[in-house]
Amino acid sequence: MQSSARRLTTPQDALIAAAALVGGVLMILADGYVKWVDAWLPSLALRCVPLVGLCAAMLLRRTAPLTGLAIATPFNFADVAMGPSLATLMIYGDALYAASLYGRRRTAEWLLGVTVAATLVTTAAAGVLLGGLSVAVLLGAVAGITWVAPVLTAMAVREHRFRAEAERLRAEQVARLAELDRRAAVGAERSRMARELHDVVANHLSAVALHSSAVLKVRDLDRETLERSLEVIRENSVQGLAEMRRMIGLLRDGDAAEGADPPAQPRLSELGRLVAHTSRGDLSARLHVAGDPPELPAAVELAAYRIVQESLTNALKHAGAGSAEVLVDYARGGVTIDVLSPLGTDGARLPGTGSGLIGMRERATLLGGRFDAGPWPGPDGPRWRVRAELPVDPPADREAWS
């Protein structure tokens, strides 16, 4: 029984209907109604019948507003015929409001047309039957306030709710897009930091591990070879520590702390020093430069330097005996990097994960360039070739790391 009542109405509507019934009865007892003619005065009990019907229709104002309006309309006409009271006019206006607000959008438009037409008909009929312009205008105003105004109010409220819902959905969409952008930015930053950590720290540590392993494995090293290996170990350790401090400064919240080292910005002019310190007992490296070095963007300088650095580190890990060649070709449109190293036959001297090639490819792709790595049938035998073409002016829709 209770569940059926809940389906029929809502607690709010039941409370409104009860209050309307009490107020309507008090209005009738206070003679708050119109008397058309003195010859026929309906009894108080008869006047309460339309009131009870209108209040019963209010129970459906949210659950079934059109049904409630259909029930309220004949009771409203009956009340008008007997002499309308202020309470019944207000209750019927609420029925029109509920049907326009909680019903379909087309229903509100249809009711607006019907109520406007009914108001005009009522005004004209009052002017003809009662024979007075002032009375016709007065009755037309009352009809307009009772019938048209609730429909217009409901349409305004509906439009406001529609706009509020649209703004809410737009705000949710903006929030979702902002979250996606944030996740993309976090992912891009993690990828950038992974490349920097690998290229900056792993390269120095790889050089330290290779030369220290050589010192430990080879017995009776001559003094000159031992000092050269220790010098390489010391220099890579110092450089790796300095660049690690710079990266820690970049990772701090906000700006870098006062007095911290500036971010590392290696340039292609320093390749000579990098190539000179790339050596193994059976492997050396040489640098060849073609063309006049132009003024390159910092992002291109950094990417080219890191690609050469990672290629030489991979050569120390994997290459066979011989010489690694670093070719830098400057052109008006950009710079081309070629690193050729002998193919190894004894396996890697240090384990690798393949992240170095991934990082080099990402650096070239982010600048709108091209990257290739793999075996290459050179004139002096098969070699491993790393080639990167980096443009001076990257596309605007590409992200460039500086």
Side-chain angles (χ1 to χ4, degrees):
M1 186 72 176
Q2 187 176 0
S3 60
S4 299
R6 287 180 180 177
R7 289 194 298 267
L8 178 65
T9 185
T10 63
Q12 295 88 345
D13 291 340
L15 182 61
I16 293 174
L21 179 60
V22 173
V25 171
L26 293 176
M27 185 66 66
I28 293 175
L29 294 175
D31 293 337
Y33 50 83
V34 176
K35 299 176 182 178
W36 293 123
V37 291
D38 294 333
W40 181 65
L41 295 177
S43 64
L44 296 180
L46 185 60
R47 284 192 174 275
C48 288
V49 173
L51 175 64
V52 173
L54 288 167
C55 292
M58 293 186 73
L59 297 173
L60 307 176
R61 61 192 308 273
R62 283 186 177 87
T63 55
L66 291 181
T67 302
L69 179 62
I71 295 174
T73 299
F75 286 105
N76 178 70
F77 286 158
D79 185 73
V80 170
M82 288 186 292
S85 68
L86 180 61
T88 54
L89 292 177
M90 294 177 61
I91 294 173
Y92 188 70
D94 179 76
L96 289 170
Y97 173 83
S100 302
L101 179 62
Y102 302 116
R104 297 180 179 180
R105 188 182 187 92
R106 288 181 174 271
T107 301
E109 297 173 353
W110 179 80
L111 285 177
L112 179 61
V114 171
T115 53
V116 169
T119 301
L120 295 177
V121 170
T122 300
T123 303
V128 172
L129 296 177
L130 300 179
L133 180 61
S134 59
V135 176
V137 172
L138 180 61
L139 289 179
V142 173
I145 294 174
T146 305
W147 297 336
V148 180
V151 177
L152 290 176
T153 303
M155 294 178 69
V157 173
R158 177 192 286 272
E159 186 66 22
H160 175 74
R161 291 183 178 180
F162 175 78
R163 291 182 179 179
E165 180 66 15
E167 288 296 323
R168 184 186 66 81
L169 294 176
R170 189 180 70 85
E172 291 180 354
Q173 184 178 15
V174 170
R176 286 195 295 268
L177 292 176
E179 177 64 17
L180 292 176
D181 290 341
R182 186 192 68 81
R183 293 182 181 180
V186 171
E189 182 65 13
R190 287 179 176 175
S191 299
R192 185 179 76 89
M193 296 309 301
R195 288 194 300 271
E196 292 297 325
L197 283 172
H198 182 275
D199 295 347
V200 172
V201 179
N203 289 327
H204 292 298
L205 293 180
S206 297
V208 170
L210 285 169
H211 285 84
S212 60
S213 298
V215 171
L216 293 174
K217 290 181 179 179
V218 180
R219 302 296 181 182
D220 300 327
L221 281 176
D222 59 277
R223 183 68 180 177
E224 182 180 356
T225 304
L226 180 60
E227 289 180 352
R228 186 168 60 252
S229 297
L230 293 177
E231 181 182 353
V232 172
I233 292 174
R234 180 184 181 280
E235 182 170 351
N236 279 276
S237 300
V238 172
Q239 290 182 359
L241 181 60
E243 294 187 359
M244 176 62 75
R245 287 175 176 171
R246 294 188 184 99
M247 293 193 66
I248 291 175
L250 291 175
L251 291 174
R252 295 183 187 276
D253 292 335
D255 297 332
E258 184 178 357
D261 295 333
Q265 293 289 344
R267 304 182 66 84
L268 290 179
S269 59
E270 303 174 10
L271 281 182
R273 179 183 177 188
L274 175 65
V275 173
H277 287 82
T278 301
S279 63
R280 206 175 61 203
D282 57 350
L283 180 69
S284 61
R286 292 182 297 179
L287 174 64
H288 305 276
V289 179
D292 297 326
E295 188 65 27
L296 296 175
V300 177
E301 290 259 7
L302 178 61
Y305 184 92
R306 295 303 188 202
I307 289 174
V308 174
Q309 185 182 39
E310 176 62 22
S311 299
L312 292 176
T313 300
N314 288 342
L316 290 176
K317 293 180 181 179
H318 309 288
S323 176
E325 306 290 336
V326 179
L327 310 176
V328 181
D329 185 9
Y330 294 105
R332 178 178 299 179
V335 59
T336 301
I337 303 295
D338 274 299
V339 181
L340 305 174
S341 58
L343 285 175
T345 57
D346 301 331
R349 290 167 171 79
L350 288 177
T353 61
S355 56
L357 291 176
I358 296 175
M360 289 189 287
R361 187 180 302 278
E362 287 179 349
R363 288 185 183 276
T365 302
L366 288 173
L367 292 174
R370 298 178 58 187
F371 176 84
D372 295 296
W376 181 67
D380 300 330
R383 300 168 71 84
W384 182 267
R385 183 187 188 187
V386 174
R387 180 179 177 86
E389 300 175 5
L390 306 178
V392 172
D393 298 320
D397 60 342
R398 297 256 185 198
E399 179 182 5
W401 302 111
S402 58

